[in-house]
Amino acid sequence: MISARYNPKDVEERWYDEWESKGYFKSNPDDREAFSIVIPPPNVTGVLHMGHMLNNTIQDILIRKARQEGKNACWVPGTDHASIATEAKVVKMLREKGIKKSDLSREEFLNYAWQWKEEYGGIILKQLRKLGASCDWDRTAFTMDEVRSKAVYKAFVDLYRKNKLYRGNRMVNWDPEAKTVLSNEEVIFGLEQSKLYHVRYQIVGTEAYVTIATTRPETIPGDTAIAVHPDDERYAWLKGKKAIVPIINREIPIIFDDYVDREFGTGALKVTPAHDVNDHEIGKRHQLEIIDIFNPDGTMSDDATVYLGEDRFVVRKKFSKDLEEAGHIVNIEDYQNNVGRSERTNAVVEPRLSLQWYVDMGTLSDPALKAVMDDVVEFFPKSQKNIYRHWMENIKDWCISRQLWWGHRIPAWYFEDQVFVAETAKEAFKLAQKTFPTIQKEQLIQDEDVLDTWFSSWLWPISVFDGFEDKEVLNYYYPTSVLVTGWDIIFLWVARMVMAGYEWTGTFPFEKVYFTGMVRDKQRRKMSKQLGNSPDALQLIADYGADGVRFGMMSCSPAGGDLLFDEKLVEQGRNFCNKMWNALRLLKSWETENENPQSDKDRLAGQWMMSMIASTQEELVRDYKDFRLSEGLMKLYNLIWNEYCSWYLEMIKPQFGEKIHENTYQEAIDAFSQLCSILHPFMPFITEEIWHLLKDRSAGEDCIISTLKIEKQDNNDVQKYINTAKDIITSVREIRQKQAIKMKDELQLYILKTEGVDKLIALNGWEDIVKKLAILDDIIISDDLNINGISFISGTEKCMIQIHQELDIEGELISLQKDLDYQQGFVDSVTKKLSNERFVQNAKPEIVEKEQAKLADGQERIKILTEEIQRLQAQLKG
RNA sequence: GAGAUAUUAGCUCAGUUGGUUUAGAGCACUACCUUGACAGGGUAGGGGUCACUGGUUCGAGUCCAGUAUGUCUCACCA
């Protein structure tokens, strides 16, 4: 006996192992068409969260679909090394052991890091298996493994030689916590509550003051000028004067620059060229001194002369208090401003002047922009194209060096004032020898920094196939078919991959990009650790089954739209599994016979079911093409739950204790098998399990590779006729409920004889279906429906249910009148349209025909309703 | 500040070149239904002047303009 509830735990692990051991996930180039996806590599330190589940479920659906279609499906998994995040984790782990990073050599630190990576890294890849991800695990890549590292060095050197990569001294985004520079894309700006301090500076040689406004009083020790607008008459008298930096007592010039906004604050601006991007520009224009008052960790440096070694935010408080006591604070107001924080550490980013490596993006962007604008690389949803274009057209150079140890060490070596860039130290030395014939190996010093993690990720679609070395494999799988990722990394990753693609392969890296939405909670808040609103992904799988979770995620995630996660969704998925499971139990409980011929009813039901499957399948083709996966899934949900379980199985279900005809049984099994096939990409485990329990399968006859054959249907009339049957059945059931007639009581249905009704009755089995599901003992076709009963209209057919209790004629009249009013309104609107000459002239003929049909139908219903009302009124009087 | 995008049932969303019987689905809700697949269920039902104002058109949820509100991207004034 099969359990009354579906138990995903038993099933899922068993099938995953089976698929893997049969090698279904593996892919090697062959004659078939390739369908390839590269995974957006999760952080090697990461654990599975809701975003990963959504993203990877989608990829798995697409890959499984392609596999079923007979394509050579290849999904390449892997992880990235996440410089900042991983290094932070390792540092923390060492600190807990009592080891300081500063006490270790680079080599020692990296040993610890690799050890840590081997032990804890890549857990997420194991977790993806629980979700059902059918990746080709043999191809698992890591951005720092040998193949991927070689690609990184090759790319760096190549760009350098092509003059598309340079080293420059500029203002950068500094993360004082990670003590590294960040690219613009790694800084997240957000409005924060702060204070605007109005501080007065004394003018040298006078008792006069000038007041500036600043949010960062702690930077005052780094001031090297006060700037005002040249046309600002309020400050014209300051020409040639100097001001005294409060507390610090250093004299600084007053300068005139039209960058200054006269409307803001007091119209006077303190200039700190070392710690503000705009101030730095002003400083350059006026040849101002640059005083760097911060250490790399955000504490005050010796040049600050005050509060040495204390943190910038502590100093903000202390220094503003000093200013206040010294009488320099004019006032302090509450203020909201945009604060940039590090994406990885959340530390407030400190603008800082520093020497870094940059990629000259202007030289890479043109083909990448064009590809997306021309839909050579197609974006879903389309709206992302604008965002992409805007970024590409205003592209800034990419700062790729990071002051960390975990990552690809920059392949640049220095001697005296010369730089030698090469893929290996050996080659760099050879290069150096050409300029310095007597140079010794130890004299050549490699750059201390590593490269931005994204500098390896942007090569991912090429490097996972070892594409810099092996063109044959690359040419088979590349360009990949589709990239599935979040829109939050469109610049960090997607745009750069397109650029890298054109730079090194001459073509785009993927044909389509499907941007998933963010997973949020019911209240539309982002899922975050701080809020604690993110469910434990693995626990969800344990509680609801991977199929249930996949259903929950997919049923409600429109392309590009946010997924508002609610546990109700996965519950629905679990219930759906249970529904299918119980349909299986029902089938398995039937005994078959083939002594009698198959009934017309069952044959018709089977035809109808197959036709429904075929037309749903046709619709799904488009849903897949447009990535409307949630709609596709909901169609299948409806097809299985409503059409197959609620209608079809009820049609063919034998009476208690009776047997089912062998043919009918086989049809039911075949239909269910097909449903499993179609649903498999979405819910792989339960479909494979049911597929095998439905009937004995030969070796290798598995749902995961079952092909979907769409049989073009030519009997669409069957659907139409069954729809009428369903409509009549529903109406009868409704009358039953309203009249409180028991389900067991058999009723008689009268239908007014018309041509349409004759056709229905002529369809063998149609009548039996209606009788069975509406629980009727007879259907009577008659010219005269003057009986004691309740009428209803199906389409344009008048039907009546005979009742044996007294009819509430007045109640009936009210409801008939309501219906009549509705129909009258409907007919009026159609009539209005049709009596408009311009409509009849301008509209397409088939539209006009349709309107005429609408009118005729409406008029027919009005006729029926009017007659019925008259009949009842006559009864009431009589 | 510039640009994009959205606003349809209590909630989340469909509505694909303007005409598919005066708007559909899932969830939620209401009523009824307990022994033969399933209460993680069945049957039926209620619920929307398609944000607002104009315009184009024979015809607008669908196209255009404006308003309001929300979201996002980029750039920022210290």
Side-chain angles (χ1 to χ4, degrees), chain A residues 264 278 338 582 836 857:
Chain A
F264 186 88
N278 294 308
N338 253 337
N582 276 288
N836 185 329
D857 287 355

mmCIF file with all atom_site columns, all heavy atoms in Angstrom, chain A residues 264 278 338 582 836 857, chain B residues 21 37 58 76-78:
data_model
loop_
_atom_site.group_PDB
_atom_site.id
_atom_site.type_symbol
_atom_site.label_atom_id
_atom_site.label_alt_id
_atom_site.label_comp_id
_atom_site.label_asym_id
_atom_site.label_entity_id
_atom_site.label_seq_id
_atom_site.pdbx_PDB_ins_code
_atom_site.Cartn_x
_atom_site.Cartn_y
_atom_site.Cartn_z
_atom_site.occupancy
_atom_site.B_iso_or_equiv
_atom_site.pdbx_formal_charge
_atom_site.auth_seq_id
_atom_site.auth_comp_id
_atom_site.auth_asym_id
_atom_site.auth_atom_id
_atom_site.pdbx_PDB_model_num
ATOM 1   N N     . PHE A 1 264 ? 23.968  76.503 -1.266  1.00 0.00 ? 264 PHE A N     1
ATOM 2   C CA    . PHE A 1 264 ? 24.087  75.475 -0.245  1.00 0.00 ? 264 PHE A CA    1
ATOM 3   C C     . PHE A 1 264 ? 24.779  75.997 1.012   1.00 0.00 ? 264 PHE A C     1
ATOM 4   O O     . PHE A 1 264 ? 25.807  76.667 0.936   1.00 0.00 ? 264 PHE A O     1
ATOM 5   C CB    . PHE A 1 264 ? 24.864  74.263 -0.769  1.00 0.00 ? 264 PHE A CB    1
ATOM 6   C CG    . PHE A 1 264 ? 24.876  73.125 0.210   1.00 0.00 ? 264 PHE A CG    1
ATOM 7   C CD1   . PHE A 1 264 ? 23.853  72.186 0.191   1.00 0.00 ? 264 PHE A CD1   1
ATOM 8   C CD2   . PHE A 1 264 ? 25.861  73.023 1.169   1.00 0.00 ? 264 PHE A CD2   1
ATOM 9   C CE1   . PHE A 1 264 ? 23.825  71.161 1.115   1.00 0.00 ? 264 PHE A CE1   1
ATOM 10  C CE2   . PHE A 1 264 ? 25.843  71.998 2.101   1.00 0.00 ? 264 PHE A CE2   1
ATOM 11  C CZ    . PHE A 1 264 ? 24.829  71.064 2.070   1.00 0.00 ? 264 PHE A CZ    1
ATOM 12  N N     . ASN A 1 278 ? 35.610  65.809 -5.154  1.00 0.00 ? 278 ASN A N     1
ATOM 13  C CA    . ASN A 1 278 ? 35.457  67.148 -5.721  1.00 0.00 ? 278 ASN A CA    1
ATOM 14  C C     . ASN A 1 278 ? 36.519  68.104 -5.207  1.00 0.00 ? 278 ASN A C     1
ATOM 15  O O     . ASN A 1 278 ? 37.039  68.929 -5.958  1.00 0.00 ? 278 ASN A O     1
ATOM 16  C CB    . ASN A 1 278 ? 34.067  67.690 -5.399  1.00 0.00 ? 278 ASN A CB    1
ATOM 17  C CG    . ASN A 1 278 ? 32.989  66.883 -6.095  1.00 0.00 ? 278 ASN A CG    1
ATOM 18  O OD1   . ASN A 1 278 ? 33.051  66.681 -7.307  1.00 0.00 ? 278 ASN A OD1   1
ATOM 19  N ND2   . ASN A 1 278 ? 32.052  66.381 -5.330  1.00 0.00 ? 278 ASN A ND2   1
ATOM 20  N N     . ASN A 1 338 ? 23.819  61.393 1.360   1.00 0.00 ? 338 ASN A N     1
ATOM 21  C CA    . ASN A 1 338 ? 24.168  60.111 0.759   1.00 0.00 ? 338 ASN A CA    1
ATOM 22  C C     . ASN A 1 338 ? 25.514  59.649 1.266   1.00 0.00 ? 338 ASN A C     1
ATOM 23  O O     . ASN A 1 338 ? 26.502  60.366 1.157   1.00 0.00 ? 338 ASN A O     1
ATOM 24  C CB    . ASN A 1 338 ? 24.233  60.264 -0.754  1.00 0.00 ? 338 ASN A CB    1
ATOM 25  C CG    . ASN A 1 338 ? 23.063  59.617 -1.431  1.00 0.00 ? 338 ASN A CG    1
ATOM 26  O OD1   . ASN A 1 338 ? 22.432  58.722 -0.865  1.00 0.00 ? 338 ASN A OD1   1
ATOM 27  N ND2   . ASN A 1 338 ? 22.762  60.060 -2.631  1.00 0.00 ? 338 ASN A ND2   1
ATOM 28  N N     . ASN A 1 582 ? -1.592  11.369 -4.777  1.00 0.00 ? 582 ASN A N     1
ATOM 29  C CA    . ASN A 1 582 ? -2.850  10.686 -4.527  1.00 0.00 ? 582 ASN A CA    1
ATOM 30  C C     . ASN A 1 582 ? -3.559  10.284 -5.807  1.00 0.00 ? 582 ASN A C     1
ATOM 31  O O     . ASN A 1 582 ? -4.313  9.310  -5.822  1.00 0.00 ? 582 ASN A O     1
ATOM 32  C CB    . ASN A 1 582 ? -3.744  11.545 -3.637  1.00 0.00 ? 582 ASN A CB    1
ATOM 33  C CG    . ASN A 1 582 ? -3.393  11.326 -2.182  1.00 0.00 ? 582 ASN A CG    1
ATOM 34  O OD1   . ASN A 1 582 ? -3.690  10.266 -1.637  1.00 0.00 ? 582 ASN A OD1   1
ATOM 35  N ND2   . ASN A 1 582 ? -2.709  12.271 -1.583  1.00 0.00 ? 582 ASN A ND2   1
ATOM 36  N N     . ASN A 1 836 ? -22.974 51.427 -35.586 1.00 0.00 ? 836 ASN A N     1
ATOM 37  C CA    . ASN A 1 836 ? -22.056 52.493 -35.977 1.00 0.00 ? 836 ASN A CA    1
ATOM 38  C C     . ASN A 1 836 ? -21.488 52.159 -37.349 1.00 0.00 ? 836 ASN A C     1
ATOM 39  O O     . ASN A 1 836 ? -20.745 51.197 -37.515 1.00 0.00 ? 836 ASN A O     1
ATOM 40  C CB    . ASN A 1 836 ? -20.938 52.589 -34.938 1.00 0.00 ? 836 ASN A CB    1
ATOM 41  C CG    . ASN A 1 836 ? -20.014 53.750 -35.213 1.00 0.00 ? 836 ASN A CG    1
ATOM 42  O OD1   . ASN A 1 836 ? -19.815 54.111 -36.369 1.00 0.00 ? 836 ASN A OD1   1
ATOM 43  N ND2   . ASN A 1 836 ? -19.463 54.312 -34.171 1.00 0.00 ? 836 ASN A ND2   1
ATOM 44  N N     . ASP A 1 857 ? -26.044 35.619 -30.081 1.00 0.00 ? 857 ASP A N     1
ATOM 45  C CA    . ASP A 1 857 ? -26.062 34.821 -28.859 1.00 0.00 ? 857 ASP A CA    1
ATOM 46  C C     . ASP A 1 857 ? -26.782 35.554 -27.739 1.00 0.00 ? 857 ASP A C     1
ATOM 47  O O     . ASP A 1 857 ? -27.590 34.971 -27.012 1.00 0.00 ? 857 ASP A O     1
ATOM 48  C CB    . ASP A 1 857 ? -24.625 34.487 -28.408 1.00 0.00 ? 857 ASP A CB    1
ATOM 49  C CG    . ASP A 1 857 ? -23.988 33.447 -29.321 1.00 0.00 ? 857 ASP A CG    1
ATOM 50  O OD1   . ASP A 1 857 ? -24.698 32.944 -30.213 1.00 0.00 ? 857 ASP A OD1   1
ATOM 51  O OD2   . ASP A 1 857 ? -22.797 33.143 -29.123 1.00 0.00 ? 857 ASP A OD2   1
ATOM 52  P P     . U   B 2 21  ? -15.366 36.618 -26.331 1.00 0.00 ? 21  U   B P     1
ATOM 53  O OP1   . U   B 2 21  ? -15.652 35.286 -25.853 1.00 0.00 ? 21  U   B OP1   1
ATOM 54  O OP2   . U   B 2 21  ? -15.774 37.017 -27.704 1.00 0.00 ? 21  U   B OP2   1
ATOM 55  O "O5'" . U   B 2 21  ? -15.821 37.519 -25.115 1.00 0.00 ? 21  U   B "O5'" 1
ATOM 56  C "C5'" . U   B 2 21  ? -16.282 38.780 -25.170 1.00 0.00 ? 21  U   B "C5'" 1
ATOM 57  C "C4'" . U   B 2 21  ? -17.762 38.856 -24.839 1.00 0.00 ? 21  U   B "C4'" 1
ATOM 58  O "O4'" . U   B 2 21  ? -18.488 38.073 -25.811 1.00 0.00 ? 21  U   B "O4'" 1
ATOM 59  C "C3'" . U   B 2 21  ? -18.130 38.316 -23.463 1.00 0.00 ? 21  U   B "C3'" 1
ATOM 60  O "O3'" . U   B 2 21  ? -19.116 39.186 -22.956 1.00 0.00 ? 21  U   B "O3'" 1
ATOM 61  C "C2'" . U   B 2 21  ? -18.777 36.966 -23.794 1.00 0.00 ? 21  U   B "C2'" 1
ATOM 62  O "O2'" . U   B 2 21  ? -19.785 36.620 -22.868 1.00 0.00 ? 21  U   B "O2'" 1
ATOM 63  C "C1'" . U   B 2 21  ? -19.413 37.249 -25.142 1.00 0.00 ? 21  U   B "C1'" 1
ATOM 64  N N1    . U   B 2 21  ? -19.678 36.081 -25.994 1.00 0.00 ? 21  U   B N1    1
ATOM 65  C C2    . U   B 2 21  ? -20.995 35.690 -26.124 1.00 0.00 ? 21  U   B C2    1
ATOM 66  O O2    . U   B 2 21  ? -21.908 36.264 -25.573 1.00 0.00 ? 21  U   B O2    1
ATOM 67  N N3    . U   B 2 21  ? -21.194 34.609 -26.933 1.00 0.00 ? 21  U   B N3    1
ATOM 68  C C4    . U   B 2 21  ? -20.230 33.905 -27.606 1.00 0.00 ? 21  U   B C4    1
ATOM 69  O O4    . U   B 2 21  ? -20.559 32.961 -28.308 1.00 0.00 ? 21  U   B O4    1
ATOM 70  C C5    . U   B 2 21  ? -18.896 34.369 -27.412 1.00 0.00 ? 21  U   B C5    1
ATOM 71  C C6    . U   B 2 21  ? -18.671 35.416 -26.623 1.00 0.00 ? 21  U   B C6    1
ATOM 72  P P     . A   B 2 37  ? -11.595 6.640  -3.830  1.00 0.00 ? 37  A   B P     1
ATOM 73  O OP1   . A   B 2 37  ? -12.532 7.711  -4.064  1.00 0.00 ? 37  A   B OP1   1
ATOM 74  O OP2   . A   B 2 37  ? -11.068 5.820  -4.931  1.00 0.00 ? 37  A   B OP2   1
ATOM 75  O "O5'" . A   B 2 37  ? -10.339 7.197  -3.016  1.00 0.00 ? 37  A   B "O5'" 1
ATOM 76  C "C5'" . A   B 2 37  ? -9.254  6.328  -2.718  1.00 0.00 ? 37  A   B "C5'" 1
ATOM 77  C "C4'" . A   B 2 37  ? -7.973  7.106  -2.662  1.00 0.00 ? 37  A   B "C4'" 1
ATOM 78  O "O4'" . A   B 2 37  ? -7.618  7.526  -4.011  1.00 0.00 ? 37  A   B "O4'" 1
ATOM 79  C "C3'" . A   B 2 37  ? -8.078  8.418  -1.873  1.00 0.00 ? 37  A   B "C3'" 1
ATOM 80  O "O3'" . A   B 2 37  ? -7.833  8.187  -0.511  1.00 0.00 ? 37  A   B "O3'" 1
ATOM 81  C "C2'" . A   B 2 37  ? -6.985  9.255  -2.521  1.00 0.00 ? 37  A   B "C2'" 1
ATOM 82  O "O2'" . A   B 2 37  ? -5.708  8.886  -2.055  1.00 0.00 ? 37  A   B "O2'" 1
ATOM 83  C "C1'" . A   B 2 37  ? -7.095  8.837  -3.994  1.00 0.00 ? 37  A   B "C1'" 1
ATOM 84  N N9    . A   B 2 37  ? -7.982  9.681  -4.783  1.00 0.00 ? 37  A   B N9    1
ATOM 85  C C8    . A   B 2 37  ? -9.340  9.588  -4.911  1.00 0.00 ? 37  A   B C8    1
ATOM 86  N N7    . A   B 2 37  ? -9.881  10.474 -5.702  1.00 0.00 ? 37  A   B N7    1
ATOM 87  C C5    . A   B 2 37  ? -8.806  11.214 -6.149  1.00 0.00 ? 37  A   B C5    1
ATOM 88  C C6    . A   B 2 37  ? -8.702  12.308 -7.016  1.00 0.00 ? 37  A   B C6    1
ATOM 89  N N6    . A   B 2 37  ? -9.752  12.859 -7.622  1.00 0.00 ? 37  A   B N6    1
ATOM 90  N N1    . A   B 2 37  ? -7.474  12.830 -7.245  1.00 0.00 ? 37  A   B N1    1
ATOM 91  C C2    . A   B 2 37  ? -6.422  12.264 -6.624  1.00 0.00 ? 37  A   B C2    1
ATOM 92  N N3    . A   B 2 37  ? -6.389  11.219 -5.779  1.00 0.00 ? 37  A   B N3    1
ATOM 93  C C4    . A   B 2 37  ? -7.622  10.742 -5.590  1.00 0.00 ? 37  A   B C4    1
ATOM 94  P P     . C   B 2 58  ? -12.498 57.523 -36.310 1.00 0.00 ? 58  C   B P     1
ATOM 95  O OP1   . C   B 2 58  ? -12.631 57.182 -37.761 1.00 0.00 ? 58  C   B OP1   1
ATOM 96  O OP2   . C   B 2 58  ? -12.569 58.925 -35.846 1.00 0.00 ? 58  C   B OP2   1
ATOM 97  O "O5'" . C   B 2 58  ? -13.562 56.677 -35.503 1.00 0.00 ? 58  C   B "O5'" 1
ATOM 98  C "C5'" . C   B 2 58  ? -14.920 57.090 -35.445 1.00 0.00 ? 58  C   B "C5'" 1
ATOM 99  C "C4'" . C   B 2 58  ? -15.758 55.973 -34.886 1.00 0.00 ? 58  C   B "C4'" 1
ATOM 100 O "O4'" . C   B 2 58  ? -15.740 54.859 -35.810 1.00 0.00 ? 58  C   B "O4'" 1
ATOM 101 C "C3'" . C   B 2 58  ? -15.247 55.369 -33.591 1.00 0.00 ? 58  C   B "C3'" 1
ATOM 102 O "O3'" . C   B 2 58  ? -15.667 56.120 -32.479 1.00 0.00 ? 58  C   B "O3'" 1
ATOM 103 C "C2'" . C   B 2 58  ? -15.858 53.981 -33.616 1.00 0.00 ? 58  C   B "C2'" 1
ATOM 104 O "O2'" . C   B 2 58  ? -17.221 53.997 -33.242 1.00 0.00 ? 58  C   B "O2'" 1
ATOM 105 C "C1'" . C   B 2 58  ? -15.754 53.631 -35.104 1.00 0.00 ? 58  C   B "C1'" 1
ATOM 106 N N1    . C   B 2 58  ? -14.534 52.881 -35.444 1.00 0.00 ? 58  C   B N1    1
ATOM 107 C C2    . C   B 2 58  ? -14.436 51.533 -35.048 1.00 0.00 ? 58  C   B C2    1
ATOM 108 O O2    . C   B 2 58  ? -15.354 51.036 -34.396 1.00 0.00 ? 58  C   B O2    1
ATOM 109 N N3    . C   B 2 58  ? -13.341 50.833 -35.358 1.00 0.00 ? 58  C   B N3    1
ATOM 110 C C4    . C   B 2 58  ? -12.353 51.421 -36.061 1.00 0.00 ? 58  C   B C4    1
ATOM 111 N N4    . C   B 2 58  ? -11.277 50.687 -36.360 1.00 0.00 ? 58  C   B N4    1
ATOM 112 C C5    . C   B 2 58  ? -12.425 52.781 -36.476 1.00 0.00 ? 58  C   B C5    1
ATOM 113 C C6    . C   B 2 58  ? -13.526 53.463 -36.159 1.00 0.00 ? 58  C   B C6    1
ATOM 114 P P     . C   B 2 76  ? 29.354  61.760 -9.260  1.00 0.00 ? 76  C   B P     1
ATOM 115 O OP1   . C   B 2 76  ? 30.728  61.823 -9.741  1.00 0.00 ? 76  C   B OP1   1
ATOM 116 O OP2   . C   B 2 76  ? 28.902  60.594 -8.443  1.00 0.00 ? 76  C   B OP2   1
ATOM 117 O "O5'" . C   B 2 76  ? 29.060  63.069 -8.459  1.00 0.00 ? 76  C   B "O5'" 1
ATOM 118 C "C5'" . C   B 2 76  ? 28.376  63.019 -7.235  1.00 0.00 ? 76  C   B "C5'" 1
ATOM 119 C "C4'" . C   B 2 76  ? 27.455  64.202 -7.173  1.00 0.00 ? 76  C   B "C4'" 1
ATOM 120 O "O4'" . C   B 2 76  ? 26.111  63.759 -7.442  1.00 0.00 ? 76  C   B "O4'" 1
ATOM 121 C "C3'" . C   B 2 76  ? 27.402  64.843 -5.798  1.00 0.00 ? 76  C   B "C3'" 1
ATOM 122 O "O3'" . C   B 2 76  ? 28.445  65.796 -5.671  1.00 0.00 ? 76  C   B "O3'" 1
ATOM 123 C "C2'" . C   B 2 76  ? 26.014  65.462 -5.797  1.00 0.00 ? 76  C   B "C2'" 1
ATOM 124 O "O2'" . C   B 2 76  ? 25.991  66.671 -6.524  1.00 0.00 ? 76  C   B "O2'" 1
ATOM 125 C "C1'" . C   B 2 76  ? 25.209  64.398 -6.565  1.00 0.00 ? 76  C   B "C1'" 1
ATOM 126 N N1    . C   B 2 76  ? 24.636  63.359 -5.673  1.00 0.00 ? 76  C   B N1    1
ATOM 127 C C2    . C   B 2 76  ? 23.536  63.686 -4.878  1.00 0.00 ? 76  C   B C2    1
ATOM 128 O O2    . C   B 2 76  ? 23.091  64.835 -4.923  1.00 0.00 ? 76  C   B O2    1
ATOM 129 N N3    . C   B 2 76  ? 23.022  62.749 -4.054  1.00 0.00 ? 76  C   B N3    1
ATOM 130 C C4    . C   B 2 76  ? 23.543  61.518 -4.019  1.00 0.00 ? 76  C   B C4    1
ATOM 131 N N4    . C   B 2 76  ? 22.995  60.635 -3.198  1.00 0.00 ? 76  C   B N4    1
ATOM 132 C C5    . C   B 2 76  ? 24.662  61.157 -4.823  1.00 0.00 ? 76  C   B C5    1
ATOM 133 C C6    . C   B 2 76  ? 25.168  62.094 -5.616  1.00 0.00 ? 76  C   B C6    1
ATOM 134 P P     . C   B 2 77  ? 29.320  65.799 -4.354  1.00 0.00 ? 77  C   B P     1
ATOM 135 O OP1   . C   B 2 77  ? 30.557  66.524 -4.646  1.00 0.00 ? 77  C   B OP1   1
ATOM 136 O OP2   . C   B 2 77  ? 29.387  64.468 -3.791  1.00 0.00 ? 77  C   B OP2   1
ATOM 137 O "O5'" . C   B 2 77  ? 28.389  66.683 -3.438  1.00 0.00 ? 77  C   B "O5'" 1
ATOM 138 C "C5'" . C   B 2 77  ? 28.256  68.000 -3.752  1.00 0.00 ? 77  C   B "C5'" 1
ATOM 139 C "C4'" . C   B 2 77  ? 27.556  68.703 -2.650  1.00 0.00 ? 77  C   B "C4'" 1
ATOM 140 O "O4'" . C   B 2 77  ? 27.024  69.921 -3.190  1.00 0.00 ? 77  C   B "O4'" 1
ATOM 141 C "C3'" . C   B 2 77  ? 26.354  67.957 -2.085  1.00 0.00 ? 77  C   B "C3'" 1
ATOM 142 O "O3'" . C   B 2 77  ? 26.829  67.124 -1.014  1.00 0.00 ? 77  C   B "O3'" 1
ATOM 143 C "C2'" . C   B 2 77  ? 25.400  69.071 -1.667  1.00 0.00 ? 77  C   B "C2'" 1
ATOM 144 O "O2'" . C   B 2 77  ? 25.650  69.506 -0.361  1.00 0.00 ? 77  C   B "O2'" 1
ATOM 145 C "C1'" . C   B 2 77  ? 25.775  70.214 -2.639  1.00 0.00 ? 77  C   B "C1'" 1
ATOM 146 N N1    . C   B 2 77  ? 24.809  70.384 -3.739  1.00 0.00 ? 77  C   B N1    1
ATOM 147 C C2    . C   B 2 77  ? 24.000  71.532 -3.706  1.00 0.00 ? 77  C   B C2    1
ATOM 148 O O2    . C   B 2 77  ? 24.131  72.310 -2.766  1.00 0.00 ? 77  C   B O2    1
ATOM 149 N N3    . C   B 2 77  ? 23.105  71.746 -4.699  1.00 0.00 ? 77  C   B N3    1
ATOM 150 C C4    . C   B 2 77  ? 22.999  70.883 -5.695  1.00 0.00 ? 77  C   B C4    1
ATOM 151 N N4    . C   B 2 77  ? 22.115  71.156 -6.637  1.00 0.00 ? 77  C   B N4    1
ATOM 152 C C5    . C   B 2 77  ? 23.809  69.701 -5.760  1.00 0.00 ? 77  C   B C5    1
ATOM 153 C C6    . C   B 2 77  ? 24.686  69.493 -4.770  1.00 0.00 ? 77  C   B C6    1
ATOM 154 P P     . A   B 2 78  ? 26.086  66.536 0.256   1.00 0.00 ? 78  A   B P     1
ATOM 155 O OP1   . A   B 2 78  ? 25.837  65.110 0.346   1.00 0.00 ? 78  A   B OP1   1
ATOM 156 O OP2   . A   B 2 78  ? 24.969  67.490 0.433   1.00 0.00 ? 78  A   B OP2   1
ATOM 157 O "O5'" . A   B 2 78  ? 27.265  66.813 1.299   1.00 0.00 ? 78  A   B "O5'" 1
ATOM 158 C "C5'" . A   B 2 78  ? 27.631  68.069 1.461   1.00 0.00 ? 78  A   B "C5'" 1
ATOM 159 C "C4'" . A   B 2 78  ? 29.107  68.158 1.618   1.00 0.00 ? 78  A   B "C4'" 1
ATOM 160 O "O4'" . A   B 2 78  ? 29.575  69.008 0.574   1.00 0.00 ? 78  A   B "O4'" 1
ATOM 161 C "C3'" . A   B 2 78  ? 29.437  68.843 2.942   1.00 0.00 ? 78  A   B "C3'" 1
ATOM 162 O "O3'" . A   B 2 78  ? 29.817  67.859 3.906   1.00 0.00 ? 78  A   B "O3'" 1
ATOM 163 C "C2'" . A   B 2 78  ? 30.532  69.790 2.595   1.00 0.00 ? 78  A   B "C2'" 1
ATOM 164 O "O2'" . A   B 2 78  ? 31.790  69.178 2.748   1.00 0.00 ? 78  A   B "O2'" 1
ATOM 165 C "C1'" . A   B 2 78  ? 30.290  70.102 1.127   1.00 0.00 ? 78  A   B "C1'" 1
ATOM 166 N N9    . A   B 2 78  ? 29.550  71.338 0.891   1.00 0.00 ? 78  A   B N9    1
ATOM 167 C C8    . A   B 2 78  ? 28.757  72.028 1.753   1.00 0.00 ? 78  A   B C8    1
ATOM 168 N N7    . A   B 2 78  ? 28.251  73.128 1.247   1.00 0.00 ? 78  A   B N7    1
ATOM 169 C C5    . A   B 2 78  ? 28.750  73.168 -0.044  1.00 0.00 ? 78  A   B C5    1
ATOM 170 C C6    . A   B 2 78  ? 28.603  74.079 -1.100  1.00 0.00 ? 78  A   B C6    1
ATOM 171 N N6    . A   B 2 78  ? 27.866  75.176 -1.025  1.00 0.00 ? 78  A   B N6    1
ATOM 172 N N1    . A   B 2 78  ? 29.222  73.808 -2.264  1.00 0.00 ? 78  A   B N1    1
ATOM 173 C C2    . A   B 2 78  ? 29.961  72.696 -2.346  1.00 0.00 ? 78  A   B C2    1
ATOM 174 N N3    . A   B 2 78  ? 30.186  71.749 -1.413  1.00 0.00 ? 78  A   B N3    1
ATOM 175 C C4    . A   B 2 78  ? 29.552  72.062 -0.272  1.00 0.00 ? 78  A   B C4    1
#
